[in-house]
Structures are given as structure tokens and as C-alpha cells.
PDB file of all heavy atoms in Angstrom:
ATOM      1  N   TYR A   2     -32.984 -32.199  54.398  1.00 97.00           N
ATOM      2  CA  TYR A   2     -33.182 -30.766  54.650  1.00 97.00           C
ATOM      3  C   TYR A   2     -34.367 -30.246  53.849  1.00 97.00           C
ATOM      4  O   TYR A   2     -35.241 -29.548  54.387  1.00 97.00           O
ATOM      5  CB  TYR A   2     -31.883 -30.038  54.285  1.00 97.00           C
ATOM      6  CG  TYR A   2     -31.953 -28.539  54.241  1.00 97.00           C
ATOM      7  CD1 TYR A   2     -32.044 -27.793  55.405  1.00 97.00           C
ATOM      8  CD2 TYR A   2     -31.886 -27.868  53.030  1.00 97.00           C
ATOM      9  CE1 TYR A   2     -32.076 -26.411  55.365  1.00 97.00           C
ATOM     10  CE2 TYR A   2     -31.915 -26.492  52.981  1.00 97.00           C
ATOM     11  CZ  TYR A   2     -32.017 -25.758  54.138  1.00 97.00           C
ATOM     12  OH  TYR A   2     -32.047 -24.391  54.104  1.00 97.00           O
ATOM     13  N   CYS A   3     -34.431 -30.595  52.580  1.00 97.00           N
ATOM     14  CA  CYS A   3     -35.529 -30.142  51.715  1.00 97.00           C
ATOM     15  C   CYS A   3     -36.865 -30.728  52.171  1.00 97.00           C
ATOM     16  O   CYS A   3     -37.879 -30.029  52.198  1.00 97.00           O
ATOM     17  CB  CYS A   3     -35.251 -30.524  50.267  1.00 97.00           C
ATOM     18  SG  CYS A   3     -33.919 -29.583  49.511  1.00 97.00           S
ATOM     19  N   ARG A   4     -36.872 -32.006  52.544  1.00 97.00           N
ATOM     20  CA  ARG A   4     -38.112 -32.633  52.995  1.00 97.00           C
ATOM     21  C   ARG A   4     -38.632 -31.999  54.286  1.00 97.00           C
ATOM     22  O   ARG A   4     -39.843 -31.830  54.451  1.00 97.00           O
ATOM     23  CB  ARG A   4     -37.909 -34.136  53.170  1.00 97.00           C
ATOM     24  CG  ARG A   4     -37.859 -34.884  51.856  1.00 97.00           C
ATOM     25  CD  ARG A   4     -37.840 -36.389  52.044  1.00 97.00           C
ATOM     26  NE  ARG A   4     -36.664 -36.857  52.776  1.00 97.00           N
ATOM     27  CZ  ARG A   4     -35.488 -37.114  52.225  1.00 97.00           C
ATOM     28  NH1 ARG A   4     -35.316 -36.955  50.924  1.00 97.00           N
ATOM     29  NH2 ARG A   4     -34.469 -37.535  52.960  1.00 97.00           N
ATOM     30  N   VAL A   5     -37.733 -31.628  55.179  1.00 97.00           N
ATOM     31  CA  VAL A   5     -38.158 -30.974  56.429  1.00 97.00           C
ATOM     32  C   VAL A   5     -38.834 -29.643  56.128  1.00 97.00           C
ATOM     33  O   VAL A   5     -39.884 -29.326  56.696  1.00 97.00           O
ATOM     34  CB  VAL A   5     -36.960 -30.780  57.387  1.00 97.00           C
ATOM     35  CG1 VAL A   5     -37.290 -29.807  58.506  1.00 97.00           C
ATOM     36  CG2 VAL A   5     -36.519 -32.109  57.956  1.00 97.00           C
ATOM     37  N   ILE A   6     -38.271 -28.878  55.234  1.00 97.00           N
ATOM     38  CA  ILE A   6     -38.864 -27.580  54.883  1.00 97.00           C
ATOM     39  C   ILE A   6     -40.249 -27.776  54.297  1.00 97.00           C
ATOM     40  O   ILE A   6     -41.211 -27.117  54.699  1.00 97.00           O
ATOM     41  CB  ILE A   6     -37.944 -26.817  53.897  1.00 97.00           C
ATOM     42  CG1 ILE A   6     -36.662 -26.386  54.608  1.00 97.00           C
ATOM     43  CG2 ILE A   6     -38.675 -25.594  53.319  1.00 97.00           C
ATOM     44  CD1 ILE A   6     -35.603 -25.829  53.687  1.00 97.00           C
ATOM     45  N   ALA A   7     -40.367 -28.699  53.345  1.00 97.00           N
ATOM     46  CA  ALA A   7     -41.667 -28.940  52.711  1.00 97.00           C
ATOM     47  C   ALA A   7     -42.660 -29.541  53.706  1.00 97.00           C
ATOM     48  O   ALA A   7     -43.849 -29.203  53.691  1.00 97.00           O
ATOM     49  CB  ALA A   7     -41.499 -29.855  51.507  1.00 97.00           C
ATOM     50  N   ARG A   8     -42.194 -30.403  54.584  1.00 97.00           N
ATOM     51  CA  ARG A   8     -43.074 -31.081  55.551  1.00 97.00           C
ATOM     52  C   ARG A   8     -43.670 -30.089  56.546  1.00 97.00           C
ATOM     53  O   ARG A   8     -44.780 -30.290  57.037  1.00 97.00           O
ATOM     54  CB  ARG A   8     -42.278 -32.158  56.296  1.00 97.00           C
ATOM     55  CG  ARG A   8     -43.091 -33.000  57.215  1.00 97.00           C
ATOM     56  CD  ARG A   8     -43.947 -33.980  56.431  1.00 97.00           C
ATOM     57  NE  ARG A   8     -44.662 -34.834  57.361  1.00 97.00           N
ATOM     58  CZ  ARG A   8     -45.963 -34.986  57.365  1.00 97.00           C
ATOM     59  NH1 ARG A   8     -46.704 -34.377  56.480  1.00 97.00           N
ATOM     60  NH2 ARG A   8     -46.541 -35.764  58.231  1.00 97.00           N
ATOM     61  N   ARG A   9     -42.966 -29.021  56.845  1.00 97.00           N
ATOM     62  CA  ARG A   9     -43.493 -28.015  57.763  1.00 97.00           C
ATOM     63  C   ARG A   9     -44.620 -27.198  57.128  1.00 97.00           C
ATOM     64  O   ARG A   9     -45.376 -26.533  57.829  1.00 97.00           O
ATOM     65  CB  ARG A   9     -42.378 -27.084  58.234  1.00 97.00           C
ATOM     66  CG  ARG A   9     -41.428 -27.779  59.174  1.00 97.00           C
ATOM     67  CD  ARG A   9     -40.359 -26.869  59.666  1.00 97.00           C
ATOM     68  NE  ARG A   9     -39.503 -27.597  60.607  1.00 97.00           N
ATOM     69  CZ  ARG A   9     -38.421 -27.101  61.134  1.00 97.00           C
ATOM     70  NH1 ARG A   9     -38.033 -25.879  60.825  1.00 97.00           N
ATOM     71  NH2 ARG A   9     -37.695 -27.826  61.960  1.00 97.00           N
ATOM     72  N   ILE A  10     -44.719 -27.249  55.813  1.00 96.00           N
ATOM     73  CA  ILE A  10     -45.748 -26.505  55.091  1.00 96.00           C
ATOM     74  C   ILE A  10     -46.889 -27.417  54.654  1.00 96.00           C
ATOM     75  O   ILE A  10     -48.052 -27.027  54.700  1.00 96.00           O
ATOM     76  CB  ILE A  10     -45.128 -25.784  53.873  1.00 96.00           C
ATOM     77  CG1 ILE A  10     -44.082 -24.773  54.347  1.00 96.00           C
ATOM     78  CG2 ILE A  10     -46.193 -25.104  53.023  1.00 96.00           C
ATOM     79  CD1 ILE A  10     -43.204 -24.208  53.264  1.00 96.00           C
ATOM     80  N   LEU A  11     -46.553 -28.630  54.245  1.00 96.00           N
ATOM     81  CA  LEU A  11     -47.529 -29.558  53.673  1.00 96.00           C
ATOM     82  C   LEU A  11     -47.775 -30.749  54.591  1.00 96.00           C
ATOM     83  O   LEU A  11     -46.862 -31.229  55.251  1.00 96.00           O
ATOM     84  CB  LEU A  11     -47.028 -30.065  52.314  1.00 96.00           C
ATOM     85  CG  LEU A  11     -46.758 -28.988  51.271  1.00 96.00           C
ATOM     86  CD1 LEU A  11     -45.984 -29.572  50.109  1.00 96.00           C
ATOM     87  CD2 LEU A  11     -48.060 -28.372  50.797  1.00 96.00           C
ATOM     88  N   ALA A  12     -48.993 -31.245  54.584  1.00 91.00           N
ATOM     89  CA  ALA A  12     -49.342 -32.393  55.418  1.00 91.00           C
ATOM     90  C   ALA A  12     -49.196 -33.718  54.668  1.00 91.00           C
ATOM     91  O   ALA A  12     -48.914 -34.741  55.276  1.00 91.00           O
ATOM     92  CB  ALA A  12     -50.775 -32.252  55.926  1.00 91.00           C
ATOM     93  N   ASN A  13     -49.359 -33.687  53.372  1.00 94.00           N
ATOM     94  CA  ASN A  13     -49.358 -34.907  52.568  1.00 94.00           C
ATOM     95  C   ASN A  13     -47.927 -35.281  52.160  1.00 94.00           C
ATOM     96  O   ASN A  13     -47.223 -34.477  51.541  1.00 94.00           O
ATOM     97  CB  ASN A  13     -50.232 -34.687  51.334  1.00 94.00           C
ATOM     98  CG  ASN A  13     -50.426 -35.934  50.517  1.00 94.00           C
ATOM     99  OD1 ASN A  13     -49.506 -36.723  50.330  1.00 94.00           O
ATOM    100  ND2 ASN A  13     -51.640 -36.099  50.012  1.00 94.00           N
ATOM    101  N   LEU A  14     -47.513 -36.498  52.488  1.00 95.00           N
ATOM    102  CA  LEU A  14     -46.147 -36.933  52.168  1.00 95.00           C
ATOM    103  C   LEU A  14     -45.898 -37.015  50.663  1.00 95.00           C
ATOM    104  O   LEU A  14     -44.777 -36.778  50.206  1.00 95.00           O
ATOM    105  CB  LEU A  14     -45.848 -38.276  52.824  1.00 95.00           C
ATOM    106  CG  LEU A  14     -45.724 -38.237  54.347  1.00 95.00           C
ATOM    107  CD1 LEU A  14     -45.489 -39.634  54.902  1.00 95.00           C
ATOM    108  CD2 LEU A  14     -44.608 -37.316  54.776  1.00 95.00           C
ATOM    109  N   ARG A  15     -46.920 -37.339  49.895  1.00 96.00           N
ATOM    110  CA  ARG A  15     -46.754 -37.363  48.432  1.00 96.00           C
ATOM    111  C   ARG A  15     -46.491 -35.966  47.892  1.00 96.00           C
ATOM    112  O   ARG A  15     -45.701 -35.785  46.974  1.00 96.00           O
ATOM    113  CB  ARG A  15     -47.978 -37.961  47.756  1.00 96.00           C
ATOM    114  CG  ARG A  15     -48.073 -39.446  47.927  1.00 96.00           C
ATOM    115  CD  ARG A  15     -49.186 -40.018  47.123  1.00 96.00           C
ATOM    116  NE  ARG A  15     -49.299 -41.444  47.391  1.00 96.00           N
ATOM    117  CZ  ARG A  15     -50.173 -42.223  46.834  1.00 96.00           C
ATOM    118  NH1 ARG A  15     -51.031 -41.732  45.974  1.00 96.00           N
ATOM    119  NH2 ARG A  15     -50.204 -43.503  47.120  1.00 96.00           N
ATOM    120  N   ASP A  16     -47.162 -34.967  48.470  1.00 96.00           N
ATOM    121  CA  ASP A  16     -46.914 -33.582  48.068  1.00 96.00           C
ATOM    122  C   ASP A  16     -45.490 -33.164  48.421  1.00 96.00           C
ATOM    123  O   ASP A  16     -44.840 -32.448  47.657  1.00 96.00           O
ATOM    124  CB  ASP A  16     -47.914 -32.636  48.732  1.00 96.00           C
ATOM    125  CG  ASP A  16     -49.312 -32.743  48.145  1.00 96.00           C
ATOM    126  OD1 ASP A  16     -49.459 -33.307  47.042  1.00 96.00           O
ATOM    127  OD2 ASP A  16     -50.257 -32.264  48.804  1.00 96.00           O
ATOM    128  N   VAL A  17     -45.009 -33.612  49.579  1.00 97.00           N
ATOM    129  CA  VAL A  17     -43.641 -33.306  49.999  1.00 97.00           C
ATOM    130  C   VAL A  17     -42.648 -33.900  49.001  1.00 97.00           C
ATOM    131  O   VAL A  17     -41.708 -33.229  48.562  1.00 97.00           O
ATOM    132  CB  VAL A  17     -43.369 -33.828  51.427  1.00 97.00           C
ATOM    133  CG1 VAL A  17     -41.892 -33.734  51.781  1.00 97.00           C
ATOM    134  CG2 VAL A  17     -44.215 -33.067  52.437  1.00 97.00           C
ATOM    135  N   GLU A  18     -42.869 -35.155  48.628  1.00 97.00           N
ATOM    136  CA  GLU A  18     -41.982 -35.813  47.675  1.00 97.00           C
ATOM    137  C   GLU A  18     -42.026 -35.126  46.309  1.00 97.00           C
ATOM    138  O   GLU A  18     -40.991 -34.922  45.669  1.00 97.00           O
ATOM    139  CB  GLU A  18     -42.411 -37.276  47.525  1.00 97.00           C
ATOM    140  CG  GLU A  18     -41.523 -38.085  46.613  1.00 97.00           C
ATOM    141  CD  GLU A  18     -41.983 -39.523  46.534  1.00 97.00           C
ATOM    142  OE1 GLU A  18     -42.130 -40.156  47.596  1.00 97.00           O
ATOM    143  OE2 GLU A  18     -42.195 -40.003  45.403  1.00 97.00           O
ATOM    144  N   GLU A  19     -43.214 -34.726  45.892  1.00 97.00           N
ATOM    145  CA  GLU A  19     -43.358 -34.016  44.616  1.00 97.00           C
ATOM    146  C   GLU A  19     -42.614 -32.676  44.655  1.00 97.00           C
ATOM    147  O   GLU A  19     -41.920 -32.317  43.691  1.00 97.00           O
ATOM    148  CB  GLU A  19     -44.838 -33.785  44.329  1.00 97.00           C
ATOM    149  CG  GLU A  19     -45.115 -33.095  43.019  1.00 97.00           C
ATOM    150  CD  GLU A  19     -46.599 -32.868  42.793  1.00 97.00           C
ATOM    151  OE1 GLU A  19     -47.427 -33.609  43.343  1.00 97.00           O
ATOM    152  OE2 GLU A  19     -46.916 -31.928  42.050  1.00 97.00           O
ATOM    153  N   CYS A  20     -42.732 -31.964  45.755  1.00 97.00           N
ATOM    154  CA  CYS A  20     -42.035 -30.681  45.896  1.00 97.00           C
ATOM    155  C   CYS A  20     -40.527 -30.870  45.889  1.00 97.00           C
ATOM    156  O   CYS A  20     -39.797 -30.061  45.299  1.00 97.00           O
ATOM    157  CB  CYS A  20     -42.470 -29.976  47.177  1.00 97.00           C
ATOM    158  SG  CYS A  20     -44.129 -29.307  47.096  1.00 97.00           S
ATOM    159  N   GLU A  21     -40.059 -31.931  46.534  1.00 97.00           N
ATOM    160  CA  GLU A  21     -38.622 -32.204  46.555  1.00 97.00           C
ATOM    161  C   GLU A  21     -38.108 -32.431  45.126  1.00 97.00           C
ATOM    162  O   GLU A  21     -37.103 -31.850  44.721  1.00 97.00           O
ATOM    163  CB  GLU A  21     -38.331 -33.420  47.422  1.00 97.00           C
ATOM    164  CG  GLU A  21     -36.851 -33.751  47.497  1.00 97.00           C
ATOM    165  CD  GLU A  21     -36.568 -35.031  48.264  1.00 97.00           C
ATOM    166  OE1 GLU A  21     -37.506 -35.734  48.680  1.00 97.00           O
ATOM    167  OE2 GLU A  21     -35.371 -35.334  48.426  1.00 97.00           O
ATOM    168  N   ASN A  22     -38.819 -33.244  44.373  1.00 97.00           N
ATOM    169  CA  ASN A  22     -38.412 -33.499  42.994  1.00 97.00           C
ATOM    170  C   ASN A  22     -38.487 -32.241  42.137  1.00 97.00           C
ATOM    171  O   ASN A  22     -37.605 -31.989  41.306  1.00 97.00           O
ATOM    172  CB  ASN A  22     -39.267 -34.618  42.387  1.00 97.00           C
ATOM    173  CG  ASN A  22     -38.969 -35.954  43.010  1.00 97.00           C
ATOM    174  OD1 ASN A  22     -37.853 -36.215  43.446  1.00 97.00           O
ATOM    175  ND2 ASN A  22     -39.972 -36.811  43.071  1.00 97.00           N
ATOM    176  N   ASP A  23     -39.530 -31.438  42.350  1.00 97.00           N
ATOM    177  CA  ASP A  23     -39.655 -30.176  41.614  1.00 97.00           C
ATOM    178  C   ASP A  23     -38.520 -29.219  41.967  1.00 97.00           C
ATOM    179  O   ASP A  23     -38.042 -28.463  41.111  1.00 97.00           O
ATOM    180  CB  ASP A  23     -40.996 -29.513  41.906  1.00 97.00           C
ATOM    181  CG  ASP A  23     -42.175 -30.240  41.264  1.00 97.00           C
ATOM    182  OD1 ASP A  23     -41.938 -31.132  40.410  1.00 97.00           O
ATOM    183  OD2 ASP A  23     -43.331 -29.931  41.632  1.00 97.00           O
ATOM    184  N   ALA A  24     -38.061 -29.254  43.206  1.00 97.00           N
ATOM    185  CA  ALA A  24     -36.946 -28.394  43.625  1.00 97.00           C
ATOM    186  C   ALA A  24     -35.662 -28.792  42.910  1.00 97.00           C
ATOM    187  O   ALA A  24     -34.884 -27.928  42.489  1.00 97.00           O
ATOM    188  CB  ALA A  24     -36.768 -28.450  45.132  1.00 97.00           C
ATOM    189  N   TYR A  25     -35.427 -30.094  42.765  1.00 97.00           N
ATOM    190  CA  TYR A  25     -34.231 -30.541  42.043  1.00 97.00           C
ATOM    191  C   TYR A  25     -34.301 -30.122  40.577  1.00 97.00           C
ATOM    192  O   TYR A  25     -33.301 -29.695  40.001  1.00 97.00           O
ATOM    193  CB  TYR A  25     -34.054 -32.055  42.154  1.00 97.00           C
ATOM    194  CG  TYR A  25     -33.869 -32.546  43.565  1.00 97.00           C
ATOM    195  CD1 TYR A  25     -34.444 -33.729  43.990  1.00 97.00           C
ATOM    196  CD2 TYR A  25     -33.127 -31.824  44.495  1.00 97.00           C
ATOM    197  CE1 TYR A  25     -34.278 -34.194  45.287  1.00 97.00           C
ATOM    198  CE2 TYR A  25     -32.956 -32.272  45.788  1.00 97.00           C
ATOM    199  CZ  TYR A  25     -33.538 -33.458  46.184  1.00 97.00           C
ATOM    200  OH  TYR A  25     -33.371 -33.907  47.467  1.00 97.00           O
ATOM    201  N   LEU A  26     -35.485 -30.227  39.991  1.00 97.00           N
ATOM    202  CA  LEU A  26     -35.648 -29.795  38.595  1.00 97.00           C
ATOM    203  C   LEU A  26     -35.429 -28.291  38.473  1.00 97.00           C
ATOM    204  O   LEU A  26     -34.761 -27.828  37.543  1.00 97.00           O
ATOM    205  CB  LEU A  26     -37.043 -30.172  38.089  1.00 97.00           C
ATOM    206  CG  LEU A  26     -37.361 -29.720  36.666  1.00 97.00           C
ATOM    207  CD1 LEU A  26     -36.417 -30.372  35.654  1.00 97.00           C
ATOM    208  CD2 LEU A  26     -38.805 -30.037  36.326  1.00 97.00           C
ATOM    209  N   ALA A  27     -35.952 -27.529  39.425  1.00 97.00           N
ATOM    210  CA  ALA A  27     -35.761 -26.072  39.397  1.00 97.00           C
ATOM    211  C   ALA A  27     -34.286 -25.711  39.543  1.00 97.00           C
ATOM    212  O   ALA A  27     -33.790 -24.811  38.861  1.00 97.00           O
ATOM    213  CB  ALA A  27     -36.579 -25.409  40.502  1.00 97.00           C
ATOM    214  N   ALA A  28     -33.583 -26.426  40.409  1.00 97.00           N
ATOM    215  CA  ALA A  28     -32.142 -26.175  40.549  1.00 97.00           C
ATOM    216  C   ALA A  28     -31.429 -26.508  39.240  1.00 97.00           C
ATOM    217  O   ALA A  28     -30.552 -25.762  38.805  1.00 97.00           O
ATOM    218  CB  ALA A  28     -31.569 -27.005  41.699  1.00 97.00           C
ATOM    219  N   TRP A  29     -31.802 -27.608  38.622  1.00 96.00           N
ATOM    220  CA  TRP A  29     -31.207 -28.017  37.341  1.00 96.00           C
ATOM    221  C   TRP A  29     -31.416 -26.936  36.281  1.00 96.00           C
ATOM    222  O   TRP A  29     -30.511 -26.627  35.507  1.00 96.00           O
ATOM    223  CB  TRP A  29     -31.820 -29.337  36.898  1.00 96.00           C
ATOM    224  CG  TRP A  29     -31.307 -29.842  35.599  1.00 96.00           C
ATOM    225  CD1 TRP A  29     -31.858 -29.662  34.358  1.00 96.00           C
ATOM    226  CD2 TRP A  29     -30.127 -30.615  35.379  1.00 96.00           C
ATOM    227  NE1 TRP A  29     -31.111 -30.280  33.405  1.00 96.00           N
ATOM    228  CE2 TRP A  29     -30.033 -30.878  34.006  1.00 96.00           C
ATOM    229  CE3 TRP A  29     -29.140 -31.112  36.232  1.00 96.00           C
ATOM    230  CZ2 TRP A  29     -28.998 -31.610  33.446  1.00 96.00           C
ATOM    231  CZ3 TRP A  29     -28.121 -31.849  35.673  1.00 96.00           C
ATOM    232  CH2 TRP A  29     -28.038 -32.090  34.302  1.00 96.00           C
ATOM    233  N   ASN A  30     -32.616 -26.367  36.255  1.00 96.00           N
ATOM    234  CA  ASN A  30     -32.941 -25.356  35.246  1.00 96.00           C
ATOM    235  C   ASN A  30     -32.362 -23.982  35.569  1.00 96.00           C
ATOM    236  O   ASN A  30     -32.233 -23.141  34.686  1.00 96.00           O
ATOM    237  CB  ASN A  30     -34.461 -25.242  35.082  1.00 96.00           C
ATOM    238  CG  ASN A  30     -35.055 -26.463  34.430  1.00 96.00           C
ATOM    239  OD1 ASN A  30     -34.403 -27.154  33.652  1.00 96.00           O
ATOM    240  ND2 ASN A  30     -36.297 -26.754  34.744  1.00 96.00           N
ATOM    241  N   THR A  31     -31.990 -23.757  36.817  1.00 96.00           N
ATOM    242  CA  THR A  31     -31.510 -22.441  37.246  1.00 96.00           C
ATOM    243  C   THR A  31     -29.988 -22.334  37.255  1.00 96.00           C
ATOM    244  O   THR A  31     -29.437 -21.255  37.058  1.00 96.00           O
ATOM    245  CB  THR A  31     -32.071 -22.122  38.641  1.00 96.00           C
ATOM    246  OG1 THR A  31     -33.488 -22.265  38.607  1.00 96.00           O
ATOM    247  CG2 THR A  31     -31.739 -20.717  39.058  1.00 96.00           C
ATOM    248  N   ILE A  32     -29.316 -23.462  37.499  1.00 94.00           N
ATOM    249  CA  ILE A  32     -27.843 -23.457  37.537  1.00 94.00           C
ATOM    250  C   ILE A  32     -27.330 -24.054  36.240  1.00 94.00           C
ATOM    251  O   ILE A  32     -27.568 -25.236  36.003  1.00 94.00           O
ATOM    252  CB  ILE A  32     -27.312 -24.304  38.719  1.00 94.00           C
ATOM    253  CG1 ILE A  32     -27.906 -23.854  40.035  1.00 94.00           C
ATOM    254  CG2 ILE A  32     -25.792 -24.250  38.764  1.00 94.00           C
ATOM    255  CD1 ILE A  32     -27.587 -24.778  41.198  1.00 94.00           C
ATOM    256  N   PRO A  33     -26.550 -23.447  35.438  1.00 91.00           N
ATOM    257  CA  PRO A  33     -26.423 -22.012  35.261  1.00 91.00           C
ATOM    258  C   PRO A  33     -27.695 -21.439  34.644  1.00 91.00           C
ATOM    259  O   PRO A  33     -28.497 -22.213  34.169  1.00 91.00           O
ATOM    260  CB  PRO A  33     -25.221 -21.876  34.339  1.00 91.00           C
ATOM    261  CG  PRO A  33     -25.201 -23.138  33.544  1.00 91.00           C
ATOM    262  CD  PRO A  33     -25.822 -24.186  34.419  1.00 91.00           C
ATOM    263  N   PRO A  34     -27.915 -20.199  34.567  1.00 92.00           N
ATOM    264  CA  PRO A  34     -26.996 -19.073  34.659  1.00 92.00           C
ATOM    265  C   PRO A  34     -26.721 -18.610  36.087  1.00 92.00           C
ATOM    266  O   PRO A  34     -25.695 -17.993  36.323  1.00 92.00           O
ATOM    267  CB  PRO A  34     -27.682 -17.975  33.868  1.00 92.00           C
ATOM    268  CG  PRO A  34     -29.132 -18.241  34.029  1.00 92.00           C
ATOM    269  CD  PRO A  34     -29.242 -19.752  34.104  1.00 92.00           C
ATOM    270  N   GLN A  35     -27.630 -18.868  37.026  1.00 92.00           N
ATOM    271  CA  GLN A  35     -27.352 -18.444  38.401  1.00 92.00           C
ATOM    272  C   GLN A  35     -26.368 -19.415  39.049  1.00 92.00           C
ATOM    273  O   GLN A  35     -26.455 -20.612  38.845  1.00 92.00           O
ATOM    274  CB  GLN A  35     -28.633 -18.423  39.234  1.00 92.00           C
ATOM    275  CG  GLN A  35     -29.592 -17.335  38.869  1.00 92.00           C
ATOM    276  CD  GLN A  35     -30.788 -17.316  39.811  1.00 92.00           C
ATOM    277  OE1 GLN A  35     -30.916 -18.150  40.697  1.00 92.00           O
ATOM    278  NE2 GLN A  35     -31.661 -16.348  39.612  1.00 92.00           N
ATOM    279  N   ILE A  36     -25.450 -18.867  39.797  1.00 94.00           N
ATOM    280  CA  ILE A  36     -24.491 -19.665  40.548  1.00 94.00           C
ATOM    281  C   ILE A  36     -24.703 -19.332  42.025  1.00 94.00           C
ATOM    282  O   ILE A  36     -24.375 -18.231  42.471  1.00 94.00           O
ATOM    283  CB  ILE A  36     -23.031 -19.342  40.136  1.00 94.00           C
ATOM    284  CG1 ILE A  36     -22.853 -19.457  38.629  1.00 94.00           C
ATOM    285  CG2 ILE A  36     -22.057 -20.235  40.890  1.00 94.00           C
ATOM    286  CD1 ILE A  36     -23.093 -20.831  38.059  1.00 94.00           C
ATOM    287  N   PRO A  37     -25.282 -20.269  42.795  1.00 94.00           N
ATOM    288  CA  PRO A  37     -25.560 -19.959  44.205  1.00 94.00           C
ATOM    289  C   PRO A  37     -24.284 -19.879  45.033  1.00 94.00           C
ATOM    290  O   PRO A  37     -23.358 -20.660  44.843  1.00 94.00           O
ATOM    291  CB  PRO A  37     -26.430 -21.129  44.658  1.00 94.00           C
ATOM    292  CG  PRO A  37     -26.121 -22.235  43.725  1.00 94.00           C
ATOM    293  CD  PRO A  37     -25.734 -21.595  42.423  1.00 94.00           C
ATOM    294  N   ARG A  38     -24.250 -18.896  45.927  1.00 93.00           N
ATOM    295  CA  ARG A  38     -23.105 -18.792  46.842  1.00 93.00           C
ATOM    296  C   ARG A  38     -23.226 -19.817  47.959  1.00 93.00           C
ATOM    297  O   ARG A  38     -22.225 -20.353  48.409  1.00 93.00           O
ATOM    298  CB  ARG A  38     -23.031 -17.381  47.426  1.00 93.00           C
ATOM    299  CG  ARG A  38     -22.463 -16.383  46.436  1.00 93.00           C
ATOM    300  CD  ARG A  38     -22.237 -15.053  47.081  1.00 93.00           C
ATOM    301  NE  ARG A  38     -23.458 -14.267  46.850  1.00 93.00           N
ATOM    302  CZ  ARG A  38     -23.905 -13.327  47.640  1.00 93.00           C
ATOM    303  NH1 ARG A  38     -23.256 -13.014  48.726  1.00 93.00           N
ATOM    304  NH2 ARG A  38     -25.000 -12.671  47.351  1.00 93.00           N
ATOM    305  N   LYS A  39     -24.439 -20.073  48.398  1.00 96.00           N
ATOM    306  CA  LYS A  39     -24.699 -21.045  49.467  1.00 96.00           C
ATOM    307  C   LYS A  39     -25.805 -21.966  48.973  1.00 96.00           C
ATOM    308  O   LYS A  39     -26.969 -21.584  48.907  1.00 96.00           O
ATOM    309  CB  LYS A  39     -25.108 -20.292  50.738  1.00 96.00           C
ATOM    310  CG  LYS A  39     -25.282 -21.145  51.929  1.00 96.00           C
ATOM    311  CD  LYS A  39     -24.025 -21.174  52.753  1.00 96.00           C
ATOM    312  CE  LYS A  39     -24.345 -21.840  54.088  1.00 96.00           C
ATOM    313  NZ  LYS A  39     -23.342 -22.765  54.487  1.00 96.00           N
ATOM    314  N   LEU A  40     -25.446 -23.184  48.614  1.00 96.00           N
ATOM    315  CA  LEU A  40     -26.375 -24.115  47.986  1.00 96.00           C
ATOM    316  C   LEU A  40     -27.547 -24.460  48.904  1.00 96.00           C
ATOM    317  O   LEU A  40     -28.686 -24.562  48.443  1.00 96.00           O
ATOM    318  CB  LEU A  40     -25.645 -25.383  47.541  1.00 96.00           C
ATOM    319  CG  LEU A  40     -26.440 -26.366  46.692  1.00 96.00           C
ATOM    320  CD1 LEU A  40     -26.967 -25.712  45.422  1.00 96.00           C
ATOM    321  CD2 LEU A  40     -25.584 -27.578  46.346  1.00 96.00           C
ATOM    322  N   SER A  41     -27.313 -24.600  50.193  1.00 96.00           N
ATOM    323  CA  SER A  41     -28.401 -24.956  51.109  1.00 96.00           C
ATOM    324  C   SER A  41     -29.478 -23.870  51.148  1.00 96.00           C
ATOM    325  O   SER A  41     -30.675 -24.176  51.114  1.00 96.00           O
ATOM    326  CB  SER A  41     -27.862 -25.215  52.512  1.00 96.00           C
ATOM    327  OG  SER A  41     -27.239 -24.066  53.025  1.00 96.00           O
ATOM    328  N   ILE A  42     -29.072 -22.628  51.188  1.00 97.00           N
ATOM    329  CA  ILE A  42     -30.029 -21.523  51.205  1.00 97.00           C
ATOM    330  C   ILE A  42     -30.760 -21.446  49.874  1.00 97.00           C
ATOM    331  O   ILE A  42     -31.978 -21.240  49.830  1.00 97.00           O
ATOM    332  CB  ILE A  42     -29.326 -20.197  51.537  1.00 97.00           C
ATOM    333  CG1 ILE A  42     -28.793 -20.252  52.967  1.00 97.00           C
ATOM    334  CG2 ILE A  42     -30.252 -19.010  51.342  1.00 97.00           C
ATOM    335  CD1 ILE A  42     -27.894 -19.103  53.337  1.00 97.00           C
TER     336      ILE A  42
END
């Protein structure tokens, strides 16, 4: 799901992979204190 979102914006597969990893790090740093009601969104 995350790769599809990034792939629609970026052409380079390495950039997509980098964004995916950065998203996991951002989620790690954000939860807690934020608790998402819908994790996919």
C-alpha cells in the first residue's frame, strides 16, 4: 500500500524504497504520543 502511494508520485524505485523506510521511521517516532484511529490512513 505504501509503495503504491509513493510510486504514483516518484519515478525512481530507490526513492520509493527510501520513502517507505522513512515512513516506518516516522510512524515509529510519532506513535506514541499520537495514536492513529485508522493505521492505513
Side-chain angles (χ1 to χ4, degrees):
Y2 170 73
C3 289
R4 285 187 298 275
V5 165
I6 291 171
R8 185 74 177 125
R9 289 182 178 175
I10 298 168
L11 302 167
N13 187 320
L14 290 177
R15 286 187 184 180
D16 287 344
V17 170
E18 183 179 306
E19 182 181 334
C20 287
E21 181 185 5
N22 291 330
D23 288 348
Y25 299 141
L26 177 62
W29 179 265
N30 290 332
T31 306
I32 305 171
Q35 290 184 357
I36 307 298
R38 283 187 267 151
K39 185 95 169 137
L40 188 58
S41 61
I42 294 171

